[in-house]
Amino acid sequence: TLKDLMSRHAAHGRVTWIGVRPAREVPMRELPRVRAQAGRGLEGDRYSGGGKRQVTLLQAEHLPVIAGLAQREAVQPALLRRNLVVAGISVLALKNQRFRIGSALFEGSGPCEPCSKMETALGPGGYNAMRGHGGVCALVIEDGEIAVGDAVVALGVDRLERKQS
């Protein structure tokens, strides 16, 4: 079934980069580890007040694609204003799914579309270079610690299924 296909992954992913931004208009701070707070987001991040965008995830495999589309040699994760960069698992497949990173539990809440700041960060055409590669937003369901190198484990339980039970 489609549900079975959407819950199957070739492997677990892993965290390759972590960043938080303590306030508006300040650069991202790269961290080796961070605490996720249920219903809030990542400790020290300006979005840690709740909402659908508590944590943002970007696909590591998309970094060279974004760089190519923006006519750059490379793109550093901090420029893209996302909290976690993960490799080895499709972040889009985590939308509406529960997943665990480190000891924290998350639920994908929707796409993380690019904003106009990508034109400044990446240059002319930066917004369009990010389209389709912006990653996903997630809610923190259970507190926990996350570190670079931690596994990203999809649990295969979607939001609609939980609402019906």
Side-chain angles (χ1 to χ4, degrees):
T1 66
L2 182 58
K3 179 181 167 187
D4 291 333
L5 292 172
M6 292 178 71
S7 67
R8 202 169 330 176
H9 300 273
H12 299 314
R14 72 181 184 301
V15 176
T16 63
W17 187 88
I18 299 171
V20 298
R21 191 174 44 255
R24 288 180 59 102
E25 307 302 326
V26 301
M28 297 287 289
R29 286 183 45 225
E30 183 175 352
L31 302 171
R33 63 182 55 254
V34 70
R35 179 154 188 77
Q37 301 169 312
R40 297 189 53 81
L42 300 181
E43 195 172 83
D45 191 67
R46 79 180 198 92
Y47 281 108
S48 67
K52 289 183 180 181
R53 191 185 170 118
Q54 293 173 13
V55 178
T56 54
L57 293 89
L58 184 73
Q59 188 78 48
E61 291 83 354
H62 288 191
L63 290 171
V65 173
I66 295 165
L69 294 171
Q71 301 297 299
R72 297 171 66 104
E73 294 232 356
V75 173
Q76 297 304 311
L79 277 180
L80 304 180
R81 304 162 48 91
R82 303 301 188 261
N83 298 120
L84 305 174
V85 177
V86 301
I89 191 168
S90 169
V91 295
L92 186 57
L94 300 175
K95 188 179 128 213
N96 296 329
Q97 300 285 315
R98 289 223 169 160
F99 55 96
R100 195 165 287 283
I101 304 175
S103 60
L105 180 65
F106 297 87
E107 182 175 278
S109 58
C112 189
E113 302 295 345
C115 68
S116 62
K117 292 184 185 275
M118 292 301 99
E119 287 289 302
T120 303
L122 299 172
Y127 175 85
N128 276 326
M130 285 286 295
R131 289 178 69 192
H133 307 289
V136 295
C137 299
L139 305 173
V140 182
I141 306 301
E142 292 176 4
D143 289 8
E145 296 290 325
I146 302 168
V148 171
D150 278 352
V152 179
V153 180
L155 302 177
V157 179
D158 69 49
R159 235 189 332 215
L160 297 175
E161 185 176 286
R162 286 191 307 283
K163 285 182 180 177
Q164 292 172 354
S165 40

